[in-house]
Structures are given as structure tokens and as C-alpha cells.
Amino acid sequence: MTTPVLICDDSSFARKQMARSIPDGWDVALSFAANGEEALEAIRAGKADVMFLDLNMPVMDGYQTMEAIREHDLPCLVIVVSGDVQPEARSRMISLGALDFIRKPVDNIKLSELLNQYGIYRGEATAEKRLADTLKNDQGKPDDRLDAYRELVNVAMGRAGDNLARLLGEFIDLPIPNVNVIETTEVHMAIAEINQNERVSAVSKGFTSAGIHGEAIVIFNDMKFDNVIKLLNYDTSCEGEQYQLEALMDVSNILIGACLNALSAQLNVNFSHSHPILLGQHSGLGAMLSSNGMRWGKIMAVEIAYAIKERDISFDLLLLFPEHAMKKIYSRLVDEESVA
């Protein structure tokens, strides 16, 4: 009997990845949704006996979607597939009624084992790429390179958030990454639209491997950074400025390190990192970025706005890739069949 399966994710690239992970022996009728509202419509239309659900989406996110499914007692088995791997994210979704929680990118063997565990699919743990079916059914939307980059960063963002959550003992609110291709001279303007604080501190670290190189910058709002320091356990003999500098470096190293490790795993490269550099403290962001001296021409700028809402804490991770690195990244993300 054919099983109606719904893949709900705001990323077209992620929907294709998920579809290719479904075991070839599983007789399914695939449908797709780009947000929770579309997913609920599909469930009500009988297109989702089983749903693979992302968490971070516009319009209606995974949490809101799961709440609606429980509230209206909709007939659907939900498996969360997310880059946000924080323990609290998992427990929240399980408490709302999700069957299980798996991380992106999906491991085909683990997925098959999970489906077997719940009696959803009893076949072999192998998967065949279903690209043709995916392209035909995915609402006719063309594959977008920015979408592929955004999904790559989404997974890396989740890993970094998880590491920071474990360090601070707090739940990290993760956004949808903001990805733009701009000129280097426009970086400070693009960030100024998001981070409008007059006084910030920032730490930078370069990275390179296999012809892919870039720069990662963590930007802290000075007015709220004392809240971060309160969550870190330092030697109380340290002076105030020393506290701040240690916290800047510790949080930056954790965020950047975890993010780059996740990027490395997805791209099958091993990034080497430069030593972290303090771009500046208690000054304007525009001046810091201008003095950084990047001359790459066109770049991909990825901005991730992390937050701990209960503590009134926020900071930004900025990833910058030159144009030639973007091409190499994309070639590693998709095979020839996918590009075609």
C-alpha cells in the first residue's frame, strides 16, 4: 500500500535532500510544503500519513505546526528533521507529540532504522536518489543556489547553537539565516540594517581549505554582553575588562569552531583556522569592518542572529565568502545530476 509522505521545509534544497534519503523500497506518494500552513492543508487533504518536519520556517514554524496538529488531533505521524539539535528543541517537539527527532543532513541508514523501529517501513536500509520525482513534485520551484547555501548554513548554525547552549545552559533561539550576495563595500551597510547598535565588539577568524576560504566575524551588542558574562563561570579575581575579553573570545571560538566544523562535514573538507583577531571593542561596526581591509569584490554574506530571549542576550555571526569560493561550495553541494 502506498504511504502518503509529506516533506515540510522552507528550503527547496533541503526538500530534495530529504526526498533522496527516503528508502527506495518504501512505496510512497511524496508531497511538499514550504511552511506549516501548507503542511496543515496537505494533512487535511490526506497527503501526509507521515511527515518530515523542519523547525525553522517562515509563516508557521515547526513548533507552531506541531501545536496545531495536536490541538486539532490531525492524523499524521511526525518526524522532526532539523539542523537545530539542542536537547531542549528535541524535548519540546517530543512533548508536543512528534514521533522522533533526527538531525540534518539525514543519514540514510539511520533514517531506515528509525522507520523500522516504528513499524513505518520494514525494508532494506538502502536509499536510491529520487531526484526526478522530487523535481516533478516540488511545486515547480527552480533550484536556487542561494537556497542551497542557506540550507548549508542552517545546519552549521544549528550545530553552533547546540554547542553554545551546552556551554551556557540556556536554550538558543535560532533564526532563518540571512544570505545575500553583495559587494565587499556593502557589507557594513547590510549589517547596519540588522545590527543598529552604536557600540559593539567583534572578533574575526579566517578559514581555508580546498580552494574555499572566508572569514567569520562574531558581533556582540555591548549593552547586553554583561548578560553573557553572568552565564560564564570565570575566576572572580579577573578585572571587568578581562572578563569581557575572555567572554568575547570564548563565545566566538565556540560559535565559529562549531559552525566551521559543521560546514567541513557537509562539504567534505577540513578547514584550517587562523588565530582569532579582536576587531574592536565598544565602537561602531562600520568602522571595524572598514578597517578590516577585505578586498574580495563580490561576496556571499551570511548573517545569523543568535538570541537567548529569556536573558535578553543577542549576538550575530557573520560568514563572508568570496565569489570564487561560492562556486566551489556549490559544486561540492550538488552532483552533476542535481545541477542539471
Side-chain angles (χ1 to χ4, degrees):
M1 180 181 294
T2 301
T3 303
V5 172
L6 177 67
I7 297 173
C8 180
D9 198 301
D10 61 314
S11 166
S12 173
F13 186 78
R15 293 193 294 269
K16 292 176 175 62
Q17 283 187 318
M18 185 65 234
R20 293 197 296 268
S21 298
I22 291 176
D24 186 49
W26 189 15
D27 184 10
V28 300
L30 285 178
S31 297
F32 301 87
N35 56 63
E37 283 189 359
E38 293 181 4
L40 295 177
E41 292 177 5
I43 295 170
R44 293 187 177 103
K47 297 181 179 180
D49 284 1
V50 177
M51 174 168 63
F52 297 101
L53 176 66
D54 186 29
L55 286 183
N56 298 321
M57 297 180 291
V59 184
M60 178 181 281
D61 65 22
Y63 298 106
Q64 295 166 324
T65 305
M66 200 67 235
E67 288 172 353
I69 290 172
R70 184 174 69 171
E71 179 183 353
H72 299 287
D73 195 23
L74 298 179
C76 180
L77 298 177
V78 178
I79 296 174
V80 179
V81 182
S82 176
D84 185 353
V85 293
Q86 297 177 75
E88 185 173 335
R90 176 187 173 85
S91 63
R92 284 173 63 180
M93 289 302 284
I94 297 299
S95 68
L96 287 170
L99 197 62
D100 216 317
F101 192 110
I102 56 179
R103 67 165 55 188
K104 293 179 176 179
V106 175
D107 181 299
N108 295 346
I109 294 177
K110 289 183 179 179
L111 174 62
S112 294
E113 290 174 350
L114 184 69
L115 295 173
N116 271 274
Q117 176 184 338
Y118 291 106
I120 298 172
Y121 166 70
R122 296 292 190 184
E124 295 292 328
T126 56
E128 182 73 22
K129 294 185 177 181
R130 298 168 177 246
L131 183 64
D133 288 341
T134 307
L135 292 175
K136 179 177 67 177
N137 291 306
D138 196 12
Q139 304 177 1
K141 296 180 181 178
D143 188 30
D144 181 357
R145 290 195 174 201
L146 279 181
D147 186 59
Y149 298 140
R150 188 177 293 110
E151 181 59 19
L152 170 75
V153 173
N154 182 54
V155 173
M157 170 189 75
R159 303 286 174 84
D162 178 51
N163 280 28
L164 191 63
R166 294 175 189 274
L167 171 73
L168 300 178
E170 297 285 342
F171 180 73
I172 309 296
D173 290 281
L174 301 180
I176 298 171
N178 185 21
V179 181
N180 293 290
V181 177
I182 57 179
E183 297 293 331
T184 303
T185 54
E186 299 172 328
V187 171
H188 69 282
M189 291 186 291
I191 299 304
E193 292 179 3
I194 302 166
N195 192 321
Q196 299 180 1
N197 302 295
E198 292 184 2
R199 290 168 58 84
V200 298
S201 299
V203 174
S204 169
K205 181 182 283 192
F207 54 91
T208 183
S209 179
I212 300 172
H213 71 274
E215 183 170 3
I217 302 173
V218 181
I219 304 163
F220 302 93
N221 176 357
D222 278 2
M223 294 182 65
K224 299 180 179 180
F225 196 65
D226 282 345
N227 293 340
V228 176
I229 295 175
K230 292 176 183 177
L231 295 177
L232 298 168
N233 295 319
Y234 293 129
D235 184 348
T236 55
S237 64
C238 294
E239 298 295 331
E241 283 295 319
Q242 189 173 347
Y243 271 131
Q244 289 193 0
L245 185 57
E246 280 193 31
L248 284 170
M249 291 302 180
D250 285 349
V251 174
S252 297
N253 281 329
I254 288 170
L255 274 179
I256 296 173
C259 193
L260 292 183
N261 285 341
L263 290 177
S264 296
Q266 294 179 83
L267 297 173
N268 194 27
V269 299
N270 186 19
F271 285 120
S272 59
H273 307 181
S274 67
H275 291 293
I277 298 172
L278 180 66
L279 294 182
Q281 285 182 272
H282 321 307
S283 58
L285 179 60
M288 290 185 198
L289 295 180
S290 297
S291 63
N292 202 28
M294 292 180 301
R295 294 293 181 268
W296 287 342
K298 187 169 290 187
I299 63 171
M300 178 172 68
V302 180
E303 191 269 344
I304 304 168
Y306 289 96
I308 306 174
K309 292 180 180 178
E310 293 185 359
R311 301 282 186 170
D312 194 27
I313 292 171
S314 61
F315 40 86
D316 297 279
L317 174 60
L318 178 64
L319 300 174
L320 304 173
F321 298 90
E323 188 172 17
H324 66 85
M326 292 161 51
K327 295 177 181 178
K328 289 186 176 294
I329 289 172
Y330 190 74
S331 68
R332 285 180 171 271
L333 282 176
V334 294
D335 55 25
E336 294 182 1
E337 183 182 20
S338 298
V339 173

